[in-house]
Amino acid sequence: MTENFYHYPDDTVFHGSSEYPDGYLFSYARALTTENEKILKLKERLNGYYVNGLASVEHPFMTAILTCVGLEVLGQVFLGFDSEGKTIQSNTILIYEMLDQQLQQPLSTTFKSNYNLNRNPQGQTTDYTISFSSYAHILRKGLRNSFTHNYRSLGVFLGEGEIIDVHENEGFMVVNPTLFKQQFNACYENCFSQAISNSIPSYRQNALRYFELLIR
C-alpha cells in the first residue's frame, strides 16, 4: 500500500532557524547525507513546530490534549508507522506507558467493573475494557481520542497531585496536566538521545524512516 506523504517544494520551510533567516528549507534537508544530521534536523523541526509551542501553553485542557498529540508523534517517529504512514495504536500505547509505571499496569478487576458501570447505560453490560491491556489504554481512549473527537472525556479527569491517580472504586483516573507535559518532554529528549547515540538501534532506524518519508 502507498504511504501517506506529500511532496513539498524545495523552497518550503522545513523548520525555522536563526542560521537561515528564511527558514531551513526542504532543499537543505534533502541534501543531508549523515544520519545524525537528519535526526538532529528532525528534532529541530519538532522543537520549532511543536515542543516550543507546547512549553508556552498553560491552560490545563489544552496542555493535556496537546501533550497527547506529541505522544502520538513519538510513537510514529521512534516505534514506526504502518504501511500507509499512519499511527500504530500498540506503538503509541508503549509511548504512553513510558511516562509512568501506573500506566503500564493491567487494569484491576475492581477498576474494570466500575469503569464499565459508568460507561454503560442502565441495564446494558458491554465490556469496554476487553481490549485494554493497561491503564495507558484508558488514558488514550478517554482523553486523547474522546476529548479530541467529541469534546468530552471518558473516565479521565484533570486535576492536581501525582501525574496519574487511578480511582479504582469509581472507575476513573485523574491526570495532572503539568506533570503529564513534563514527563512527555523528558521522554522526548530521552528518545532522541537514544536514537542519536544508537543505544536503541530501532529508535534510530525508525526516526530515519520518518525523516525520509517527510522529505520525499
Side-chain angles (χ1 to χ4, degrees):
M1 301 180 73
T2 302
E3 293 173 330
N4 286 337
F5 78 98
Y6 186 88
H7 178 76
Y8 294 91
D10 278 346
D11 60 355
T12 303
V13 175
F14 186 77
H15 69 69
S17 170
S18 58
E19 183 180 356
Y20 299 96
D22 296 325
Y24 191 88
L25 304 180
F26 266 78
S27 59
Y28 304 146
R30 289 174 176 135
L32 294 176
T33 58
T34 69
E35 292 183 347
N36 274 359
E37 282 183 313
K38 294 177 180 180
I39 296 173
L40 287 169
K41 286 304 178 186
L42 174 60
K43 186 173 188 286
E44 278 192 60
R45 175 181 166 88
L46 291 175
N47 285 347
Y49 289 140
Y50 174 74
V51 176
N52 294 343
L54 177 62
S56 66
V57 175
E58 297 182 358
H59 189 282
F61 274 104
M62 291 303 297
T63 295
I65 295 302
L66 289 175
T67 298
C68 288
V69 172
L71 292 168
E72 302 290 318
V73 173
L74 288 192
Q76 284 209 13
V77 172
F78 296 109
L79 300 182
F81 43 83
D82 68 14
S83 60
E84 293 185 310
K86 297 178 181 178
T87 295
I88 299 173
Q89 176 177 293
S90 58
N91 288 351
T92 304
I93 290 296
L94 290 174
I95 296 291
Y96 276 77
E97 290 178 348
M98 292 179 185
L99 302 189
D100 189 80
Q101 288 189 345
Q102 181 67 68
L103 293 173
Q104 303 169 17
Q105 301 303 312
L107 276 60
S108 71
T109 301
T110 299
F111 183 90
K112 288 181 180 180
S113 177
N114 289 311
Y115 178 82
N116 284 324
L117 184 64
N118 288 327
R119 284 200 61 183
N120 272 302
Q122 190 172 7
Q124 294 189 15
T125 58
T126 301
D127 184 358
Y128 290 98
T129 69
I130 195 167
S131 64
F132 294 171
S133 61
S134 70
Y135 286 100
H137 287 83
I138 298 292
L139 179 56
R140 185 171 186 261
K141 174 66 176 179
L143 182 61
R144 184 267 180 190
N145 290 7
S146 185
F147 194 85
T148 300
H149 296 295
N150 303 313
Y151 206 67
R152 62 179 183 273
S153 64
L154 290 174
V156 180
F157 306 142
L158 302 183
E160 299 178 349
E162 301 295 325
I163 179 174
I164 302 293
D165 187 8
V166 176
H167 293 247
E168 302 283 346
N169 293 326
E170 289 81 19
F172 63 78
M173 65 169 56
V174 178
V175 178
N176 181 320
T178 301
L179 297 182
F180 188 43
K181 177 171 70 172
Q182 290 175 0
Q183 285 295 93
F184 161 77
N185 286 331
C187 182
Y188 173 89
E189 293 294 339
N190 189 48
C191 286
F192 267 105
S193 176
Q194 290 169 325
I196 292 167
S197 68
N198 203 24
S199 58
I200 300 183
S202 61
Y203 283 13
R204 186 180 183 86
Q205 293 162 10
N206 286 321
L208 290 168
R209 181 183 173 217
Y210 186 99
F211 179 88
E212 294 299 337
L213 177 62
L214 189 62
I215 65 167
R216 283 185 186 175

